[in-house]
Amino acid sequence: MLDLFSYEFMQRALLAALFTGMAAPAVGTYIVQRRLALLGDGIGHVAVTGVALGLLTGIAPTWTAVVVAILGAILIEVIRERGHTNGDVALALLFYGGLAGGVLLTGLAGQSAANLQEYLFGSITTISVADVYLTMAFAAVVILVGVGLAPQLFAVSQDQDFARVAGLQVRTYNLLVAVLAAVSVTIAMRTVGLLLVSALMVVPVATAQQLTRSFRATLFAAMALGAFASVGGLSLSALAPAGTRVAPGSTIVLLALLGFVITWPLGAWLRHRQLLRTPFPALPPDAGTPTDSHEVGEHPHDHGPDCGHVAVPHGDHVDYVHGGHRHAPHGEHYDEH
Protein backbone atom coordinates (compact mmCIF):
# COMPACT_ATOMS: atom_id res chain seq x y z
CA MET A 1 0.00 0.00 0.00
CA LEU A 2 2.80 2.42 0.88
CA ASP A 3 4.56 1.61 -2.38
CA LEU A 4 1.38 2.42 -4.30
CA PHE A 5 1.05 5.88 -2.77
CA SER A 6 4.71 6.62 -3.39
CA TYR A 7 3.97 7.01 -7.11
CA GLU A 8 3.63 10.57 -8.30
CA PHE A 9 0.36 9.95 -10.16
CA MET A 10 -1.25 8.67 -6.96
CA GLN A 11 0.01 11.65 -4.98
CA ARG A 12 -1.48 14.00 -7.56
CA ALA A 13 -4.74 12.08 -7.46
CA LEU A 14 -4.90 12.22 -3.65
CA LEU A 15 -4.35 15.97 -3.62
CA ALA A 16 -7.04 16.51 -6.23
CA ALA A 17 -9.45 14.21 -4.39
CA LEU A 18 -8.84 15.94 -1.05
CA PHE A 19 -9.46 19.46 -2.32
CA THR A 20 -12.39 18.44 -4.49
CA GLY A 21 -13.99 16.56 -1.61
CA MET A 22 -13.87 19.67 0.58
CA ALA A 23 -14.92 22.21 -2.06
CA ALA A 24 -17.95 20.41 -3.51
CA PRO A 25 -19.89 20.08 -0.20
CA ALA A 26 -18.88 23.64 0.77
CA VAL A 27 -21.10 25.02 -1.98
CA GLY A 28 -23.45 22.04 -1.94
CA THR A 29 -24.59 23.03 1.55
CA TYR A 30 -26.12 26.22 0.18
CA ILE A 31 -27.61 24.43 -2.81
CA VAL A 32 -29.34 21.91 -0.55
CA GLN A 33 -30.56 24.77 1.66
CA ARG A 34 -32.16 26.38 -1.41
CA ARG A 35 -33.74 23.05 -2.42
CA LEU A 36 -31.82 22.98 -5.72
CA ALA A 37 -30.08 19.66 -5.20
CA LEU A 38 -30.13 18.91 -8.94
CA LEU A 39 -28.43 22.17 -9.88
CA GLY A 40 -25.07 20.40 -10.00
CA ASP A 41 -26.41 17.92 -12.55
CA GLY A 42 -27.71 20.73 -14.76
CA ILE A 43 -24.40 22.60 -14.64
CA GLY A 44 -22.53 19.35 -15.22
CA HIS A 45 -24.41 18.75 -18.44
CA VAL A 46 -23.67 22.30 -19.59
CA ALA A 47 -20.01 21.73 -18.81
CA VAL A 48 -20.05 18.87 -21.33
CA THR A 49 -20.53 21.50 -24.02
CA GLY A 50 -17.58 23.41 -22.58
CA VAL A 51 -15.36 20.33 -22.70
CA ALA A 52 -16.38 19.66 -26.30
CA LEU A 53 -15.70 23.29 -27.17
CA GLY A 54 -12.19 22.88 -25.82
CA LEU A 55 -11.66 19.76 -27.94
CA LEU A 56 -12.91 21.67 -30.98
CA THR A 57 -10.76 24.76 -30.50
CA GLY A 58 -7.67 23.10 -29.06
CA ILE A 59 -7.95 25.04 -25.77
CA ALA A 60 -7.57 23.20 -22.47
CA PRO A 61 -11.02 21.67 -21.80
CA THR A 62 -10.89 22.65 -18.13
CA TRP A 63 -10.84 26.36 -18.94
CA THR A 64 -13.57 26.19 -21.54
CA ALA A 65 -15.67 24.05 -19.21
CA VAL A 66 -15.29 26.65 -16.42
CA VAL A 67 -16.39 29.51 -18.68
CA VAL A 68 -19.36 27.67 -20.18
CA ALA A 69 -20.46 26.28 -16.80
CA ILE A 70 -20.40 29.75 -15.23
CA LEU A 71 -22.45 31.18 -18.10
CA GLY A 72 -24.93 28.32 -17.79
CA ALA A 73 -25.22 28.77 -14.01
CA ILE A 74 -25.87 32.49 -14.39
CA LEU A 75 -28.44 31.77 -17.09
CA ILE A 76 -30.40 29.35 -14.95
CA GLU A 77 -30.35 31.78 -12.01
CA VAL A 78 -31.71 34.56 -14.20
CA ILE A 79 -34.41 32.26 -15.59
CA ARG A 80 -35.33 31.12 -12.09
CA GLU A 81 -35.53 34.67 -10.74
CA ARG A 82 -37.11 36.62 -13.58
CA GLY A 83 -38.51 34.19 -16.08
CA HIS A 84 -41.89 32.53 -16.13
CA THR A 85 -40.29 29.11 -16.45
CA ASN A 86 -40.11 27.09 -13.25
CA GLY A 87 -36.77 26.13 -11.83
CA ASP A 88 -37.18 22.44 -12.63
CA VAL A 89 -38.00 23.22 -16.29
CA ALA A 90 -34.90 25.40 -16.54
CA LEU A 91 -32.82 22.55 -15.12
CA ALA A 92 -34.30 20.18 -17.71
CA LEU A 93 -33.34 22.59 -20.48
CA LEU A 94 -29.77 22.60 -19.20
CA PHE A 95 -29.75 18.81 -18.95
CA TYR A 96 -30.74 18.14 -22.52
CA GLY A 97 -29.25 21.15 -24.27
CA GLY A 98 -25.87 20.89 -22.60
CA LEU A 99 -25.42 17.19 -23.24
CA ALA A 100 -26.66 17.37 -26.82
CA GLY A 101 -24.45 20.37 -27.55
CA GLY A 102 -21.42 18.56 -26.18
CA VAL A 103 -21.96 15.49 -28.33
CA LEU A 104 -22.55 17.66 -31.41
CA LEU A 105 -19.40 19.72 -30.92
CA THR A 106 -17.34 16.62 -30.25
CA GLY A 107 -18.45 15.23 -33.61
CA LEU A 108 -17.60 18.50 -35.34
CA ALA A 109 -14.13 18.31 -33.79
CA GLY A 110 -13.62 14.99 -35.56
CA GLN A 111 -13.55 12.97 -32.36
CA SER A 112 -15.86 10.29 -31.07
CA ALA A 113 -17.99 10.51 -27.97
CA ALA A 114 -15.54 8.16 -26.29
CA ASN A 115 -13.20 11.12 -25.88
CA LEU A 116 -15.66 12.55 -23.39
CA GLN A 117 -15.40 9.44 -21.21
CA GLU A 118 -12.77 10.78 -18.81
CA TYR A 119 -14.80 13.93 -18.25
CA LEU A 120 -18.20 12.26 -17.95
CA PHE A 121 -17.11 9.63 -15.41
CA GLY A 122 -13.81 11.00 -14.14
CA SER A 123 -10.21 10.00 -14.65
CA ILE A 124 -8.40 11.20 -11.58
CA THR A 125 -5.38 8.90 -11.91
CA THR A 126 -4.41 10.57 -15.21
CA ILE A 127 -4.61 14.13 -13.87
CA SER A 128 -1.61 16.29 -14.72
CA VAL A 129 0.44 18.52 -12.47
CA ALA A 130 -1.09 21.64 -14.05
CA ASP A 131 -4.59 20.29 -13.47
CA VAL A 132 -3.74 19.58 -9.82
CA TYR A 133 -2.59 23.15 -9.26
CA LEU A 134 -5.68 24.47 -11.02
CA THR A 135 -7.93 22.22 -8.93
CA MET A 136 -6.27 23.31 -5.70
CA ALA A 137 -6.54 27.00 -6.61
CA PHE A 138 -10.22 26.82 -7.59
CA ALA A 139 -11.06 24.68 -4.57
CA ALA A 140 -9.33 27.14 -2.24
CA VAL A 141 -11.39 30.01 -3.66
CA VAL A 142 -14.64 28.05 -3.26
CA ILE A 143 -13.82 27.08 0.34
CA LEU A 144 -12.73 30.57 1.37
CA VAL A 145 -15.81 32.21 -0.09
CA GLY A 146 -18.19 29.50 1.15
CA VAL A 147 -16.86 29.67 4.71
CA GLY A 148 -16.02 33.38 4.85
CA LEU A 149 -19.44 34.51 3.62
CA ALA A 150 -21.37 31.80 5.44
CA PRO A 151 -23.72 34.18 7.38
CA GLN A 152 -24.73 36.11 4.26
CA LEU A 153 -25.06 33.08 2.01
CA PHE A 154 -27.06 31.22 4.65
CA ALA A 155 -29.44 34.15 5.10
CA VAL A 156 -30.04 34.39 1.37
CA SER A 157 -30.48 30.63 1.00
CA GLN A 158 -32.78 30.28 4.00
CA ASP A 159 -35.11 33.28 3.68
CA GLN A 160 -34.66 35.74 0.83
CA ASP A 161 -37.32 38.13 2.12
CA PHE A 162 -35.56 38.40 5.47
CA ALA A 163 -32.23 38.87 3.68
CA ARG A 164 -33.67 41.79 1.68
CA VAL A 165 -35.03 43.41 4.81
CA ALA A 166 -31.60 42.99 6.43
CA GLY A 167 -30.06 44.95 3.54
CA LEU A 168 -28.34 42.09 1.71
CA GLN A 169 -27.96 42.09 -2.07
CA VAL A 170 -29.95 38.93 -2.63
CA ARG A 171 -29.44 38.78 -6.39
CA THR A 172 -25.68 39.18 -6.04
CA TYR A 173 -25.39 36.41 -3.48
CA ASN A 174 -27.63 34.11 -5.53
CA LEU A 175 -25.39 34.62 -8.54
CA LEU A 176 -22.35 34.02 -6.35
CA VAL A 177 -23.72 30.65 -5.22
CA ALA A 178 -24.40 29.73 -8.86
CA VAL A 179 -20.86 30.68 -9.89
CA LEU A 180 -19.36 28.72 -6.99
CA ALA A 181 -21.43 25.71 -8.02
CA ALA A 182 -20.17 26.00 -11.60
CA VAL A 183 -16.55 26.18 -10.47
CA SER A 184 -17.05 23.19 -8.15
CA VAL A 185 -18.53 21.15 -10.97
CA THR A 186 -15.62 21.79 -13.30
CA ILE A 187 -12.92 21.04 -10.74
CA ALA A 188 -14.69 17.79 -9.81
CA MET A 189 -15.15 16.56 -13.37
CA ARG A 190 -11.76 14.84 -13.33
CA THR A 191 -12.44 13.32 -9.89
CA VAL A 192 -15.95 11.84 -10.10
CA GLY A 193 -17.04 12.95 -13.59
CA LEU A 194 -19.65 15.42 -14.77
CA LEU A 195 -22.46 12.88 -14.48
CA LEU A 196 -21.72 12.10 -10.82
CA VAL A 197 -20.50 15.45 -9.53
CA SER A 198 -23.87 16.39 -8.05
CA ALA A 199 -23.66 13.40 -5.71
CA LEU A 200 -20.41 14.70 -4.22
CA MET A 201 -22.08 18.09 -3.68
CA VAL A 202 -25.27 16.77 -2.09
CA VAL A 203 -24.72 13.40 -0.39
CA PRO A 204 -22.13 14.57 2.21
CA VAL A 205 -24.47 17.43 3.10
CA ALA A 206 -27.41 15.06 3.54
CA THR A 207 -25.22 12.83 5.72
CA ALA A 208 -24.05 15.72 7.87
CA GLN A 209 -27.64 16.86 8.42
CA GLN A 210 -28.36 13.55 10.14
CA LEU A 211 -25.83 14.31 12.85
CA THR A 212 -25.80 18.09 13.26
CA ARG A 213 -28.34 20.67 14.37
CA SER A 214 -26.75 23.94 13.24
CA PHE A 215 -25.88 25.28 9.82
CA ARG A 216 -22.22 25.94 10.55
CA ALA A 217 -21.75 22.47 12.01
CA THR A 218 -23.42 21.00 8.93
CA LEU A 219 -21.11 22.97 6.64
CA PHE A 220 -17.88 21.79 8.27
CA ALA A 221 -19.11 18.24 8.79
CA ALA A 222 -20.11 18.00 5.12
CA MET A 223 -16.66 19.20 4.03
CA ALA A 224 -15.00 16.60 6.26
CA LEU A 225 -17.27 13.82 5.00
CA GLY A 226 -16.69 14.85 1.39
CA ALA A 227 -12.93 14.76 1.86
CA PHE A 228 -13.15 11.36 3.55
CA ALA A 229 -15.33 9.92 0.78
CA SER A 230 -13.05 11.25 -1.96
CA VAL A 231 -9.78 10.07 -0.44
CA GLY A 232 -11.31 6.81 0.82
CA GLY A 233 -12.96 6.00 -2.50
CA LEU A 234 -9.73 6.66 -4.40
CA SER A 235 -7.79 4.46 -1.96
CA LEU A 236 -10.29 1.60 -2.20
CA SER A 237 -10.22 1.66 -6.00
CA ALA A 238 -6.42 1.67 -6.01
CA LEU A 239 -6.27 -1.28 -3.59
CA ALA A 240 -8.67 -3.42 -5.63
CA PRO A 241 -7.43 -6.95 -6.40
CA ALA A 242 -5.19 -7.36 -9.40
CA GLY A 243 -7.06 -7.92 -12.63
CA THR A 244 -10.08 -5.90 -11.57
CA ARG A 245 -10.71 -2.37 -12.73
CA VAL A 246 -12.60 -0.23 -10.24
CA ALA A 247 -13.46 3.30 -11.32
CA PRO A 248 -12.44 5.83 -8.64
CA GLY A 249 -15.36 8.18 -9.39
CA SER A 250 -18.06 5.60 -8.83
CA THR A 251 -16.27 4.26 -5.73
CA ILE A 252 -16.19 7.76 -4.22
CA VAL A 253 -19.91 8.26 -4.79
CA LEU A 254 -20.84 4.84 -3.45
CA LEU A 255 -18.73 5.40 -0.34
CA ALA A 256 -20.51 8.72 0.24
CA LEU A 257 -23.88 6.99 -0.17
CA LEU A 258 -22.80 4.28 2.27
CA GLY A 259 -22.07 6.97 4.84
CA PHE A 260 -25.60 8.31 4.45
CA VAL A 261 -27.12 4.84 4.81
CA ILE A 262 -25.15 4.26 8.02
CA THR A 263 -25.97 7.61 9.62
CA TRP A 264 -29.65 7.79 8.68
CA PRO A 265 -30.88 5.47 11.51
CA LEU A 266 -28.75 7.42 13.98
CA GLY A 267 -30.23 10.68 12.72
CA ALA A 268 -33.76 9.30 13.09
CA TRP A 269 -32.99 8.25 16.68
CA LEU A 270 -31.55 11.69 17.50
CA ARG A 271 -34.63 13.41 16.08
CA HIS A 272 -36.83 11.13 18.16
CA ARG A 273 -34.86 12.02 21.30
CA GLN A 274 -35.27 15.70 20.45
CA LEU A 275 -39.04 15.28 20.30
CA LEU A 276 -39.05 13.55 23.67
CA ARG A 277 -37.48 16.62 25.25
CA THR A 278 -40.60 18.66 24.39
CA PRO A 279 -43.48 16.25 25.16
CA PHE A 280 -46.14 18.83 25.96
CA PRO A 281 -47.93 20.81 23.27
CA ALA A 282 -47.81 24.59 23.37
CA LEU A 283 -50.73 26.28 25.11
CA PRO A 284 -53.18 28.24 22.98
CA PRO A 285 -52.75 32.02 23.05
CA ASP A 286 -55.73 32.57 25.39
CA ALA A 287 -54.78 29.83 27.84
CA GLY A 288 -53.88 30.92 31.32
CA THR A 289 -55.18 34.48 30.95
CA PRO A 290 -56.01 36.01 34.32
CA THR A 291 -59.67 36.72 34.89
CA ASP A 292 -61.20 39.49 36.92
CA SER A 293 -63.26 36.98 38.88
CA HIS A 294 -61.95 33.53 39.82
CA GLU A 295 -62.81 31.14 42.57
CA VAL A 296 -59.90 29.29 44.05
CA GLY A 297 -59.86 25.51 43.70
CA GLU A 298 -58.11 23.01 45.91
CA HIS A 299 -54.32 23.30 46.13
CA PRO A 300 -51.79 21.22 48.09
CA HIS A 301 -50.73 24.32 50.06
CA ASP A 302 -51.98 27.72 51.17
CA HIS A 303 -50.88 30.70 49.15
CA GLY A 304 -48.92 33.19 51.16
CA PRO A 305 -45.68 35.16 51.34
CA ASP A 306 -43.56 31.97 51.38
CA CYS A 307 -45.35 29.99 48.65
CA GLY A 308 -43.01 31.11 45.88
CA HIS A 309 -45.66 32.56 43.57
CA VAL A 310 -45.66 36.13 42.28
CA ALA A 311 -47.27 38.60 44.72
CA VAL A 312 -49.43 41.34 43.19
CA PRO A 313 -50.91 44.15 45.38
CA HIS A 314 -54.68 44.26 44.88
CA GLY A 315 -56.69 46.76 46.84
CA ASP A 316 -56.14 46.26 50.55
CA HIS A 317 -54.78 42.75 50.24
CA VAL A 318 -52.15 40.79 48.27
CA ASP A 319 -52.87 38.34 45.43
CA TYR A 320 -50.58 35.47 44.48
CA VAL A 321 -50.43 34.59 40.78
CA HIS A 322 -50.16 30.88 39.99
CA GLY A 323 -50.74 29.15 36.64
CA GLY A 324 -52.16 32.29 35.03
CA HIS A 325 -54.81 32.78 37.79
CA ARG A 326 -54.92 34.99 40.84
CA HIS A 327 -55.33 33.29 44.19
CA ALA A 328 -56.21 34.89 47.48
CA PRO A 329 -54.32 33.71 50.54
CA HIS A 330 -55.80 31.14 52.89
CA GLY A 331 -58.41 29.79 50.47
CA GLU A 332 -60.42 32.99 50.11
CA HIS A 333 -62.08 33.94 46.85
CA TYR A 334 -62.26 37.12 44.83
CA ASP A 335 -65.15 39.39 44.37
CA GLU A 336 -65.42 41.16 41.05
CA HIS A 337 -63.64 44.50 40.98
Side-chain angles (χ1 to χ4, degrees), residues 319-337:
D319 302 343
Y320 296 91
V321 180
H322 170 62
H325 303 290
R326 293 195 302 270
H327 300 280
H330 309 301
E332 299 177 4
H333 66 275
Y334 291 109
D335 299 326
E336 294 187 3
H337 299 280

Side-chain angles (χ1 to χ4, degrees), residues 33-51:
Q33 197 71 28
R34 296 175 60 187
R35 294 176 176 84
L36 291 175
L38 294 180
L39 179 64
D41 275 330
I43 297 176
H45 283 69
V46 172
V48 175
T49 298
V51 171

Side-chain angles (χ1 to χ4, degrees), residues 16-330:
L18 176 63
F19 277 85
T20 302
M22 290 190 296
V27 65
T29 305
Y30 302 105
I31 293 176
V32 172
Q33 197 71 28
R34 296 175 60 187
R35 294 176 176 84
L36 291 175
L38 294 180
L39 179 64
D41 275 330
I43 297 176
H45 283 69
V46 172
V48 175
T49 298
V51 171
L53 187 61
L55 297 176
L56 179 64
T57 59
I59 304 175
T62 302
W63 286 107
T64 54
V66 168
V67 173
V68 174
I70 290 176
L71 293 176
I74 294 175
L75 177 61
I76 186 175
E77 183 60 33
V78 171
I79 293 175
R80 190 190 65 83
E81 181 183 5
R82 295 186 176 182
H84 299 289
T85 307
N86 294 330
D88 57 342
V89 177
L91 281 174
L93 295 176
L94 288 177
F95 267 62
Y96 306 134
L99 190 58
V103 175
L104 177 63
L105 291 178
T106 301
L108 293 177
Q111 303 186 42
S112 64
N115 295 87
L116 295 175
Q117 183 80 12
E118 61 182 273
Y119 298 99
L120 293 177
F121 299 101
S123 181
I124 192 172
T125 55
T126 62
I127 192 171
S128 64
V129 176
D131 286 337
V132 171
Y133 287 142
L134 188 62
T135 299
M136 293 171 62
F138 280 148
V141 171
V142 171
I143 294 172
L144 289 176
V145 175
V147 175
L149 296 179
Q152 294 89 336
L153 295 178
F154 170 74
V156 172
S157 301
Q158 178 69 17
D159 191 339
Q160 295 191 9
D161 293 333
F162 170 79
R164 287 190 182 93
V165 173
L168 297 178
Q169 297 294 327
V170 174
R171 181 180 304 170
T172 301
Y173 285 113
N174 282 336
L175 291 175
L176 179 60
V177 171
V179 171
L180 292 177
V183 174
S184 299
V185 166
T186 52
I187 65 176
M189 67 182 182
R190 295 297 300 271
T191 304
V192 295
L194 294 173
L195 297 183
L196 297 175
V197 63
S198 186
L200 191 58
M201 299 172 69
V202 173
V203 176
V205 179
T207 304
Q209 288 177 335
Q210 305 301 316
L211 306 175
T212 58
R213 290 297 175 266
S214 69
F215 178 79
R216 187 172 291 274
T218 300
L219 175 62
F220 287 108
M223 292 172 59
L225 291 170
F228 174 78
S230 297
V231 175
L234 175 62
S235 303
L236 289 176
S237 64
L239 296 175
T244 59
R245 184 178 180 182
V246 180
S250 59
T251 308
I252 291 172
V253 173
L254 289 176
L255 184 59
L257 288 171
L258 179 62
F260 176 79
V261 172
I262 292 175
T263 57
W264 183 83
L266 179 59
W269 178 75
L270 291 175
R271 289 189 293 271
H272 178 68
R273 288 290 303 272
Q274 183 69 22
L275 290 176
L276 292 179
R277 295 192 184 101
T278 55
F280 301 108
L283 294 175
D286 58 344
T289 303
T291 60
D292 291 335
S293 177
H294 176 71
E295 185 173 347
V296 178
E298 295 183 359
H299 292 279
H301 65 280
D302 292 333
H303 294 276
D306 298 326
C307 72
H309 300 141
V310 180
V312 179
H314 192 85
D316 58 352
H317 60 276
V318 177
D319 302 343
Y320 296 91
V321 180
H322 170 62
H325 303 290
R326 293 195 302 270
H327 300 280
H330 309 301

